[in-house]
mmCIF file of all heavy atoms in Angstrom:
data_model
loop_
_atom_site.group_PDB
_atom_site.id
_atom_site.type_symbol
_atom_site.label_atom_id
_atom_site.label_comp_id
_atom_site.label_asym_id
_atom_site.label_seq_id
_atom_site.Cartn_x
_atom_site.Cartn_y
_atom_site.Cartn_z
ATOM 1 N N GLU A 1 7.978 -1.188 -10.508
ATOM 2 C CA GLU A 1 7.354 0.051 -10.031
ATOM 3 C C GLU A 1 5.901 -0.188 -9.651
ATOM 4 O O GLU A 1 5.401 0.378 -8.669
ATOM 5 C CB GLU A 1 7.478 1.127 -11.108
ATOM 6 C CG GLU A 1 8.907 1.605 -11.312
ATOM 7 C CD GLU A 1 9.100 2.420 -12.571
ATOM 8 O OE1 GLU A 1 8.372 2.158 -13.568
ATOM 9 O OE2 GLU A 1 9.972 3.302 -12.585
ATOM 10 N N PHE A 2 5.228 -1.046 -10.415
ATOM 11 C CA PHE A 2 3.846 -1.402 -10.069
ATOM 12 C C PHE A 2 3.805 -2.083 -8.705
ATOM 13 O O PHE A 2 2.956 -1.768 -7.859
ATOM 14 C CB PHE A 2 3.254 -2.316 -11.146
ATOM 15 C CG PHE A 2 1.832 -2.708 -10.885
ATOM 16 C CD1 PHE A 2 0.788 -1.910 -11.304
ATOM 17 C CD2 PHE A 2 1.534 -3.883 -10.199
ATOM 18 C CE1 PHE A 2 -0.540 -2.256 -11.051
ATOM 19 C CE2 PHE A 2 0.224 -4.242 -9.940
ATOM 20 C CZ PHE A 2 -0.810 -3.431 -10.367
ATOM 21 N N ALA A 3 4.724 -3.013 -8.485
ATOM 22 C CA ALA A 3 4.765 -3.728 -7.203
ATOM 23 C C ALA A 3 5.051 -2.777 -6.042
ATOM 24 O O ALA A 3 4.478 -2.920 -4.952
ATOM 25 C CB ALA A 3 5.821 -4.832 -7.269
ATOM 26 N N GLU A 4 5.923 -1.800 -6.272
ATOM 27 C CA GLU A 4 6.202 -0.824 -5.225
ATOM 28 C C GLU A 4 4.960 -0.004 -4.904
ATOM 29 O O GLU A 4 4.673 0.295 -3.738
ATOM 30 C CB GLU A 4 7.342 0.100 -5.636
ATOM 31 C CG GLU A 4 7.705 1.110 -4.554
ATOM 32 C CD GLU A 4 8.871 2.001 -4.906
ATOM 33 O OE1 GLU A 4 9.620 1.675 -5.836
ATOM 34 O OE2 GLU A 4 9.019 3.052 -4.239
ATOM 35 N N MET A 5 4.201 0.364 -5.935
ATOM 36 C CA MET A 5 2.972 1.119 -5.728
ATOM 37 C C MET A 5 1.974 0.350 -4.870
ATOM 38 O O MET A 5 1.415 0.892 -3.906
ATOM 39 C CB MET A 5 2.334 1.458 -7.072
ATOM 40 C CG MET A 5 0.950 2.104 -6.977
ATOM 41 S SD MET A 5 0.112 2.204 -8.572
ATOM 42 C CE MET A 5 -0.180 0.468 -8.929
ATOM 43 N N THR A 6 1.714 -0.905 -5.218
ATOM 44 C CA THR A 6 0.724 -1.663 -4.444
ATOM 45 C C THR A 6 1.161 -1.815 -2.991
ATOM 46 O O THR A 6 0.340 -1.727 -2.076
ATOM 47 C CB THR A 6 0.484 -3.057 -5.063
ATOM 48 O OG1 THR A 6 1.701 -3.801 -5.083
ATOM 49 C CG2 THR A 6 -0.079 -2.952 -6.462
ATOM 50 N N LYS A 7 2.452 -2.019 -2.777
ATOM 51 C CA LYS A 7 2.960 -2.159 -1.410
ATOM 52 C C LYS A 7 2.748 -0.875 -0.615
ATOM 53 O O LYS A 7 2.237 -0.900 0.518
ATOM 54 C CB LYS A 7 4.439 -2.519 -1.453
ATOM 55 C CG LYS A 7 5.080 -2.688 -0.079
ATOM 56 C CD LYS A 7 6.558 -3.051 -0.208
ATOM 57 C CE LYS A 7 7.211 -3.209 1.151
ATOM 58 N NZ LYS A 7 8.651 -3.568 1.035
ATOM 59 N N ARG A 8 3.107 0.247 -1.201
ATOM 60 C CA ARG A 8 3.007 1.527 -0.491
ATOM 61 C C ARG A 8 1.556 1.969 -0.304
ATOM 62 O O ARG A 8 1.197 2.512 0.753
ATOM 63 C CB ARG A 8 3.824 2.588 -1.231
ATOM 64 C CG ARG A 8 5.327 2.361 -1.123
ATOM 65 C CD ARG A 8 6.118 3.214 -2.098
ATOM 66 N NE ARG A 8 5.911 4.643 -1.894
ATOM 67 C CZ ARG A 8 6.453 5.584 -2.671
ATOM 68 N NH1 ARG A 8 7.225 5.226 -3.697
ATOM 69 N NH2 ARG A 8 6.219 6.864 -2.424
ATOM 70 N N CYS A 9 0.725 1.742 -1.309
ATOM 71 C CA CYS A 9 -0.678 2.150 -1.191
ATOM 72 C C CYS A 9 -1.414 1.300 -0.159
ATOM 73 O O CYS A 9 -2.178 1.829 0.659
ATOM 74 C CB CYS A 9 -1.366 2.088 -2.549
ATOM 75 S SG CYS A 9 -0.882 3.431 -3.671
ATOM 76 N N ASN A 10 -1.207 -0.007 -0.192
ATOM 77 C CA ASN A 10 -1.851 -0.858 0.817
ATOM 78 C C ASN A 10 -1.404 -0.479 2.224
ATOM 79 O O ASN A 10 -2.203 -0.486 3.166
ATOM 80 C CB ASN A 10 -1.549 -2.331 0.540
ATOM 81 C CG ASN A 10 -2.445 -2.923 -0.528
ATOM 82 O OD1 ASN A 10 -3.660 -2.760 -0.485
ATOM 83 N ND2 ASN A 10 -1.859 -3.602 -1.494
ATOM 84 N N ALA A 11 -0.140 -0.137 2.377
ATOM 85 C CA ALA A 11 0.364 0.282 3.691
ATOM 86 C C ALA A 11 -0.296 1.575 4.155
ATOM 87 O O ALA A 11 -0.424 1.819 5.355
ATOM 88 C CB ALA A 11 1.886 0.457 3.638
ATOM 89 N N ALA A 12 -0.734 2.400 3.192
ATOM 90 C CA ALA A 12 -1.417 3.659 3.520
ATOM 91 C C ALA A 12 -2.928 3.472 3.672
ATOM 92 O O ALA A 12 -3.660 4.450 3.871
ATOM 93 C CB ALA A 12 -1.127 4.698 2.430
ATOM 94 N N GLY A 13 -3.401 2.230 3.567
ATOM 95 C CA GLY A 13 -4.829 1.953 3.702
ATOM 96 C C GLY A 13 -5.618 2.178 2.440
ATOM 97 O O GLY A 13 -6.852 2.270 2.474
ATOM 98 N N VAL A 14 -4.941 2.251 1.292
ATOM 99 C CA VAL A 14 -5.590 2.539 0.015
ATOM 100 C C VAL A 14 -5.420 1.333 -0.907
ATOM 101 O O VAL A 14 -4.302 0.908 -1.197
ATOM 102 C CB VAL A 14 -4.980 3.804 -0.643
ATOM 103 C CG1 VAL A 14 -5.700 4.117 -1.947
ATOM 104 C CG2 VAL A 14 -5.055 4.997 0.313
ATOM 105 N N ARG A 15 -6.537 0.794 -1.380
ATOM 106 C CA ARG A 15 -6.517 -0.397 -2.224
ATOM 107 C C ARG A 15 -6.306 -0.032 -3.701
ATOM 108 O O ARG A 15 -6.649 1.076 -4.126
ATOM 109 C CB ARG A 15 -7.823 -1.178 -2.083
ATOM 110 C CG ARG A 15 -8.152 -1.615 -0.665
ATOM 111 C CD ARG A 15 -7.026 -2.349 0.009
ATOM 112 N NE ARG A 15 -7.457 -3.069 1.215
ATOM 113 C CZ ARG A 15 -6.629 -3.609 2.076
ATOM 114 N NH1 ARG A 15 -5.319 -3.512 1.892
ATOM 115 N NH2 ARG A 15 -7.075 -4.256 3.137
ATOM 116 N N ILE A 16 -5.785 -0.989 -4.484
ATOM 117 C CA ILE A 16 -5.516 -0.780 -5.896
ATOM 118 C C ILE A 16 -6.397 -1.709 -6.731
ATOM 119 O O ILE A 16 -6.463 -2.919 -6.478
ATOM 120 C CB ILE A 16 -4.033 -1.037 -6.231
ATOM 121 C CG1 ILE A 16 -3.136 -0.030 -5.514
ATOM 122 C CG2 ILE A 16 -3.799 -0.983 -7.748
ATOM 123 C CD1 ILE A 16 -3.301 1.407 -5.956
ATOM 124 N N TYR A 17 -7.060 -1.130 -7.735
ATOM 125 C CA TYR A 17 -7.921 -1.877 -8.656
ATOM 126 C C TYR A 17 -7.426 -1.633 -10.077
ATOM 127 O O TYR A 17 -7.304 -0.490 -10.514
ATOM 128 C CB TYR A 17 -9.376 -1.436 -8.521
ATOM 129 C CG TYR A 17 -9.851 -1.446 -7.080
ATOM 130 C CD1 TYR A 17 -9.767 -0.293 -6.292
ATOM 131 C CD2 TYR A 17 -10.343 -2.607 -6.501
ATOM 132 C CE1 TYR A 17 -10.160 -0.300 -4.963
ATOM 133 C CE2 TYR A 17 -10.740 -2.624 -5.165
ATOM 134 C CZ TYR A 17 -10.647 -1.468 -4.401
ATOM 135 O OH TYR A 17 -11.028 -1.482 -3.090
ATOM 136 N N VAL A 18 -7.150 -2.712 -10.795
ATOM 137 C CA VAL A 18 -6.565 -2.610 -12.130
ATOM 138 C C VAL A 18 -7.652 -2.621 -13.198
ATOM 139 O O VAL A 18 -8.532 -3.479 -13.193
ATOM 140 C CB VAL A 18 -5.579 -3.767 -12.381
ATOM 141 C CG1 VAL A 18 -5.149 -3.811 -13.838
ATOM 142 C CG2 VAL A 18 -4.363 -3.627 -11.471
ATOM 143 N N ASP A 19 -7.567 -1.670 -14.117
ATOM 144 C CA ASP A 19 -8.408 -1.662 -15.305
ATOM 145 C C ASP A 19 -7.806 -2.688 -16.268
ATOM 146 O O ASP A 19 -6.742 -2.458 -16.846
ATOM 147 C CB ASP A 19 -8.376 -0.257 -15.916
ATOM 148 C CG ASP A 19 -9.511 -0.019 -16.909
ATOM 149 O OD1 ASP A 19 -10.188 -0.990 -17.287
ATOM 150 O OD2 ASP A 19 -9.702 1.141 -17.319
ATOM 151 N N ILE A 20 -8.461 -3.836 -16.406
ATOM 152 C CA ILE A 20 -7.864 -4.948 -17.151
ATOM 153 C C ILE A 20 -8.642 -5.224 -18.440
ATOM 154 O O ILE A 20 -9.864 -5.087 -18.481
ATOM 155 C CB ILE A 20 -7.785 -6.211 -16.264
ATOM 156 C CG1 ILE A 20 -6.853 -7.235 -16.873
ATOM 157 C CG2 ILE A 20 -9.160 -6.786 -15.975
ATOM 158 C CD1 ILE A 20 -6.434 -8.330 -15.922
ATOM 159 N N ILE A 21 -7.894 -5.596 -19.493
ATOM 160 C CA ILE A 21 -8.486 -5.759 -20.820
ATOM 161 C C ILE A 21 -8.196 -7.158 -21.328
ATOM 162 O O ILE A 21 -7.031 -7.527 -21.534
ATOM 163 C CB ILE A 21 -7.904 -4.726 -21.806
ATOM 164 C CG1 ILE A 21 -8.161 -3.326 -21.287
ATOM 165 C CG2 ILE A 21 -8.516 -4.884 -23.200
ATOM 166 C CD1 ILE A 21 -7.079 -2.357 -21.626
ATOM 167 N N PHE A 22 -9.249 -7.951 -21.527
ATOM 168 C CA PHE A 22 -9.046 -9.263 -22.130
ATOM 169 C C PHE A 22 -10.193 -9.641 -23.063
ATOM 170 O O PHE A 22 -10.333 -10.800 -23.467
ATOM 171 C CB PHE A 22 -8.803 -10.346 -21.072
ATOM 172 C CG PHE A 22 -9.836 -10.438 -19.975
ATOM 173 C CD1 PHE A 22 -11.032 -11.106 -20.174
ATOM 174 C CD2 PHE A 22 -9.586 -9.897 -18.719
ATOM 175 C CE1 PHE A 22 -11.960 -11.232 -19.160
ATOM 176 C CE2 PHE A 22 -10.513 -10.013 -17.687
ATOM 177 C CZ PHE A 22 -11.713 -10.685 -17.914
ATOM 178 N N ASN A 23 -11.009 -8.657 -23.461
ATOM 179 C CA ASN A 23 -11.997 -8.886 -24.506
ATOM 180 C C ASN A 23 -11.339 -8.952 -25.875
ATOM 181 O O ASN A 23 -11.797 -9.648 -26.771
ATOM 182 C CB ASN A 23 -13.040 -7.759 -24.503
ATOM 183 C CG ASN A 23 -13.958 -7.818 -25.717
ATOM 184 O OD1 ASN A 23 -14.762 -8.731 -25.850
ATOM 185 N ND2 ASN A 23 -13.817 -6.854 -26.629
ATOM 186 N N HIS A 24 -10.240 -8.223 -26.014
ATOM 187 C CA HIS A 24 -9.649 -8.037 -27.340
ATOM 188 C C HIS A 24 -8.150 -7.769 -27.234
ATOM 189 O O HIS A 24 -7.621 -7.603 -26.136
ATOM 190 C CB HIS A 24 -10.333 -6.862 -28.043
ATOM 191 C CG HIS A 24 -10.260 -5.588 -27.245
ATOM 192 N ND1 HIS A 24 -11.296 -5.156 -26.436
ATOM 193 C CD2 HIS A 24 -9.272 -4.656 -27.091
ATOM 194 C CE1 HIS A 24 -10.951 -4.028 -25.848
ATOM 195 N NE2 HIS A 24 -9.720 -3.704 -26.228
ATOM 196 N N MET A 25 -7.523 -7.668 -28.391
ATOM 197 C CA MET A 25 -6.125 -7.249 -28.479
ATOM 198 C C MET A 25 -6.057 -6.021 -29.393
ATOM 199 O O MET A 25 -7.074 -5.526 -29.867
ATOM 200 C CB MET A 25 -5.255 -8.389 -29.017
ATOM 201 C CG MET A 25 -5.198 -9.611 -28.112
ATOM 202 S SD MET A 25 -4.461 -9.314 -26.478
ATOM 203 C CE MET A 25 -2.725 -9.173 -26.915
ATOM 204 N N ALA A 26 -4.853 -5.513 -29.623
ATOM 205 C CA ALA A 26 -4.669 -4.276 -30.375
ATOM 206 C C ALA A 26 -5.096 -4.422 -31.834
ATOM 207 O O ALA A 26 -4.862 -5.456 -32.476
ATOM 208 C CB ALA A 26 -3.211 -3.835 -30.307
ATOM 209 N N ALA A 27 -5.713 -3.359 -32.356
ATOM 210 C CA ALA A 27 -6.089 -3.323 -33.776
ATOM 211 C C ALA A 27 -5.043 -2.604 -34.611
ATOM 212 O O ALA A 27 -4.951 -2.827 -35.824
ATOM 213 C CB ALA A 27 -7.439 -2.636 -33.941
ATOM 214 N N HIS A 28 -4.264 -1.726 -33.980
ATOM 215 C CA HIS A 28 -3.223 -0.988 -34.697
ATOM 216 C C HIS A 28 -1.954 -1.834 -34.816
ATOM 217 O O HIS A 28 -1.609 -2.578 -33.897
ATOM 218 C CB HIS A 28 -2.888 0.328 -33.983
ATOM 219 C CG HIS A 28 -3.924 1.391 -34.166
ATOM 220 N ND1 HIS A 28 -5.135 1.358 -33.519
ATOM 221 C CD2 HIS A 28 -3.923 2.519 -34.930
ATOM 222 C CE1 HIS A 28 -5.848 2.427 -33.861
ATOM 223 N NE2 HIS A 28 -5.135 3.133 -34.722
ATOM 224 N N GLN A 29 -1.285 -1.694 -35.944
ATOM 225 C CA GLN A 29 0.002 -2.361 -36.137
ATOM 226 C C GLN A 29 1.107 -1.421 -35.683
ATOM 227 O O GLN A 29 1.149 -0.263 -36.080
ATOM 228 C CB GLN A 29 0.204 -2.701 -37.619
ATOM 229 C CG GLN A 29 1.500 -3.424 -37.922
ATOM 230 C CD GLN A 29 1.516 -4.847 -37.376
ATOM 231 O OE1 GLN A 29 0.553 -5.580 -37.525
ATOM 232 N NE2 GLN A 29 2.598 -5.223 -36.719
ATOM 233 N N GLY A 30 2.007 -1.897 -34.849
ATOM 234 C CA GLY A 30 3.105 -1.051 -34.400
ATOM 235 C C GLY A 30 3.847 -1.684 -33.243
ATOM 236 O O GLY A 30 3.488 -2.768 -32.760
ATOM 237 N N ASP A 31 4.877 -0.997 -32.786
ATOM 238 C CA ASP A 31 5.646 -1.480 -31.642
ATOM 239 C C ASP A 31 4.842 -1.308 -30.358
ATOM 240 O O ASP A 31 3.970 -0.440 -30.254
ATOM 241 C CB ASP A 31 6.962 -0.711 -31.527
ATOM 242 C CG ASP A 31 7.887 -0.985 -32.701
ATOM 243 O OD1 ASP A 31 7.807 -2.092 -33.262
ATOM 244 O OD2 ASP A 31 8.674 -0.084 -33.059
ATOM 245 N N GLY A 32 5.191 -2.124 -29.362
ATOM 246 C CA GLY A 32 4.529 -2.025 -28.071
ATOM 247 C C GLY A 32 5.373 -1.279 -27.068
ATOM 248 O O GLY A 32 6.572 -1.061 -27.274
ATOM 249 N N THR A 33 4.757 -0.882 -25.950
ATOM 250 C CA THR A 33 5.465 -0.136 -24.909
ATOM 251 C C THR A 33 6.525 -0.977 -24.212
ATOM 252 O O THR A 33 7.379 -0.433 -23.515
ATOM 253 C CB THR A 33 4.464 0.400 -23.865
ATOM 254 O OG1 THR A 33 3.601 -0.683 -23.445
ATOM 255 C CG2 THR A 33 3.619 1.523 -24.436
ATOM 256 N N GLY A 34 6.476 -2.295 -24.420
ATOM 257 C CA GLY A 34 7.501 -3.168 -23.876
ATOM 258 C C GLY A 34 8.461 -3.691 -24.927
ATOM 259 O O GLY A 34 9.256 -4.587 -24.649
ATOM 260 N N GLY A 35 8.353 -3.151 -26.144
ATOM 261 C CA GLY A 35 9.270 -3.544 -27.209
ATOM 262 C C GLY A 35 8.815 -4.705 -28.057
ATOM 263 O O GLY A 35 9.534 -5.136 -28.961
ATOM 264 N N SER A 36 7.621 -5.242 -27.811
ATOM 265 C CA SER A 36 7.165 -6.388 -28.590
ATOM 266 C C SER A 36 6.623 -5.939 -29.943
ATOM 267 O O SER A 36 6.233 -4.786 -30.128
ATOM 268 C CB SER A 36 6.096 -7.168 -27.829
ATOM 269 O OG SER A 36 4.895 -6.426 -27.778
ATOM 270 N N SER A 37 6.581 -6.873 -30.872
ATOM 271 C CA SER A 37 6.006 -6.603 -32.188
ATOM 272 C C SER A 37 4.959 -7.666 -32.492
ATOM 273 O O SER A 37 4.997 -8.767 -31.927
ATOM 274 C CB SER A 37 7.093 -6.612 -33.268
ATOM 275 O OG SER A 37 7.756 -7.865 -33.292
ATOM 276 N N THR A 38 4.029 -7.337 -33.365
ATOM 277 C CA THR A 38 2.927 -8.237 -33.684
ATOM 278 C C THR A 38 2.658 -8.196 -35.181
ATOM 279 O O THR A 38 3.186 -7.350 -35.903
ATOM 280 C CB THR A 38 1.638 -7.812 -32.953
ATOM 281 O OG1 THR A 38 1.289 -6.485 -33.370
ATOM 282 C CG2 THR A 38 1.821 -7.826 -31.458
#
């Protein structure tokens, strides 16, 4: 779905910028939105 968005938005002349996080990882213990555990 992300790939479809970038394709359609670029075709409409609208660029996509991702809010990206790599300073840290999660502090809460729990399941992830993709089913992973930590």
Side-chain angles (χ1 to χ4, degrees):
E1 291 167 329
F2 181 87
E4 182 177 343
M5 173 191 67
T6 60
K7 180 180 179 180
R8 290 167 60 183
C9 286
N10 279 312
V14 182
R15 302 308 195 191
I16 296 294
Y17 309 93
V18 170
D19 197 349
I20 195 165
I21 302 147
F22 53 81
N23 170 68
H24 56 263
M25 296 297 286
H28 285 74
Q29 181 69 45
D31 294 331
T33 50
S36 71
S37 59
T38 60

